[in-house]
Amino acid sequence: MHYTFAKDYIEIIIIGIIFNLFAFAFTHMARADGNPKLAAVVMIVGCAINMILDPILIFLFDLGIQGAAIATVVSQAITALWLLFYFTKGSSVLKISLKDLKLNKPIVKAIFAIGMAPFAMQLASSFVQVFANNTLMTYGGDMAIGAMTVINSISLFFLMPIFGINQGSQPIIGFNHGAKHYHRSKKAFIYSVTAATAILLIGSTLIQLFPASFVGLFNNDPTLTQMAVEGMKIFLFTLPILGISVVGPNYFQSIGKAKISLFLSLLRQVLLFIPFLFILPRFMGLKGIWFVMPISDTITAAITLYFLRREMKRTRGQIPCPKVADDLMAG
């Protein structure tokens, strides 16, 4: 039954995947173009259309899971076409035209280099999830997998704003670093990591004080609730220091240091997470799984701080040549 639902859903999503790709790319381009408000409005409208179409197609037209997929594709198509109009006929600084759509090898290489870090992170996360689920099944069964799902969902409440901060700060950091206004890129990073840490500190405090209330949003089974509460208080204990671990790699990606960004991105959820996930449960059982993330977070934050401190020292006191800065700002 679950396979049938997944098959019916994915077949329609794949047909409309081109709209998803364009919507995703154009949204980022709009922010880089200096119009973050439009990007936000388009995303909100797209989500609203999806929410409106879901019950209409699922229940009124009796399309079931296929209706949900159609609603998603339609909302993404509207988002993509809206932003395509903005970049072709609208008031954008960047204009898209067919005659300019030519591959430039150095630019393509730079795009691949900078984009490799988030790509590798997404790919690795999928493999890590499979490995983590198998480990959870071994030491806690289906109940443990359910508890981890709840914990991850709760963590996203507070991590999603951090991802938004990353996306918003990236063009600011990149532009000023490229113009050699290093003090500005550093200031943007400091503001970003401060805001991220404040949000995560509030989230961590609420989670530690009211864990059952958060778990209750997703589940009312007493056994699962108890397991999720116990696991969450340990698994998310180091949530406040994630500001450094998440915003730090984004800083290196923004300034074009793709290798460091890739290394730091993989460090927390792959290079450290998998070995600890393999070792700790053998000695501590299910509780060992809960301790994997705090240990990985602490080590990752320390290593990220080392690379950040080294980069800040490298650019300390450097100021742009006035003519170079003016040319960059004009260009």
Side-chain angles (χ1 to χ4, degrees):
M1 181 64 73
H2 293 140
Y3 172 78
T4 302
F5 286 152
K7 180 175 178 293
D8 290 343
Y9 185 85
I10 199 66
E11 284 177 347
I12 296 174
I13 291 295
I14 289 177
I15 292 173
I17 194 67
I18 187 67
F19 297 119
N20 175 274
L21 295 175
F22 277 109
F24 185 80
F26 286 157
T27 302
H28 285 278
M29 288 168 58
R31 280 195 293 269
D33 195 60
N35 203 338
K37 290 183 179 179
L38 174 64
V41 169
V42 171
M43 289 179 66
I44 292 171
V45 171
C47 290
I49 292 172
N50 197 348
M51 293 172 63
I52 293 170
L53 288 178
D54 270 337
I56 294 174
L57 296 176
I58 294 172
F59 302 112
L60 186 62
F61 287 89
D62 196 27
L63 293 175
I65 195 68
Q66 292 179 324
I70 294 171
T72 299
V73 171
V74 170
S75 65
Q76 291 172 346
I78 293 173
T79 299
L81 293 174
W82 184 349
L83 289 173
L84 178 62
F85 178 83
Y86 169 74
F87 284 113
T88 53
K89 305 294 183 181
S91 58
S92 64
V93 176
L94 172 67
K95 293 298 181 185
I96 297 177
S97 62
L98 290 176
K99 64 182 179 64
D100 295 325
L101 296 180
K102 301 175 183 177
L103 293 178
N104 182 297
K105 187 175 180 179
I107 294 177
V108 171
K109 287 178 65 177
I111 290 172
F112 270 95
I114 294 173
M116 190 56 65
F119 168 74
M121 197 64 236
Q122 292 294 328
L123 186 64
S125 294
S126 299
F127 288 110
V128 169
Q129 191 63 52
V130 173
F131 183 63
N133 283 345
N134 288 334
T135 307
L136 285 164
M137 178 63 72
T138 300
Y139 292 95
D142 289 333
M143 195 70 71
I145 294 177
M148 180 63 83
T149 301
V150 171
I151 293 169
N152 285 331
S153 298
I154 292 170
S155 69
L156 284 176
F157 281 159
F158 305 101
L159 286 174
M160 289 302 289
I162 314 309
F163 300 150
I165 290 173
N166 268 354
Q167 292 178 359
S169 65
Q170 196 170 62
I172 299 173
I173 294 172
F175 177 83
N176 282 288
H177 191 275
K180 301 188 186 301
H181 292 296
Y182 301 120
H183 64 291
R184 292 182 181 175
S185 61
K186 291 177 185 177
K187 186 179 290 186
F189 167 73
I190 291 171
Y191 284 156
S192 299
V193 78
T194 301
T197 302
I199 293 171
L200 293 172
L201 183 60
I202 293 171
S204 178
T205 302
L206 293 174
I207 286 171
Q208 296 299 325
L209 290 176
F210 313 106
S213 298
F214 281 100
V215 174
L217 296 173
F218 300 90
N219 158 75
N220 57 7
D221 181 87
T223 305
L224 180 57
T225 297
Q226 182 180 355
M227 181 180 289
V229 166
E230 292 174 356
M232 182 171 62
K233 294 179 74 172
I234 300 173
F235 197 78
L236 300 182
F237 181 76
T238 51
L239 196 64
I241 66 175
L242 278 188
I244 290 291
S245 303
V246 175
V247 180
N250 178 72
Y251 176 77
F252 287 106
Q253 183 182 352
S254 301
I255 64 175
K257 298 204 168 182
K259 291 182 180 179
I260 296 178
S261 177
L262 177 60
F263 168 69
L264 294 176
S265 296
L266 293 176
L267 186 62
R268 172 177 173 256
Q269 290 190 336
V270 180
L271 302 179
L272 292 174
F273 188 89
I274 290 181
F276 283 129
L277 189 61
F278 181 77
I279 296 169
L280 292 183
R282 293 174 177 265
F283 299 96
M284 302 172 64
L286 182 60
K287 184 171 285 189
I289 299 177
W290 304 138
F291 273 103
V292 168
M293 190 54 75
I295 296 173
S296 299
D297 286 342
T298 303
I299 297 174
T300 300
I303 295 175
T304 302
L305 279 172
Y306 165 76
F307 279 103
L308 286 168
R309 185 170 178 269
R310 190 178 70 171
E311 177 63 25
M312 298 300 176
K313 285 178 65 176
R314 188 186 70 82
T315 57
R316 184 178 299 161
Q318 295 187 28
I319 58 175
C321 169
K323 184 179 186 308
V324 172
D326 289 343
D327 290 345
L328 286 167
M329 296 290 284

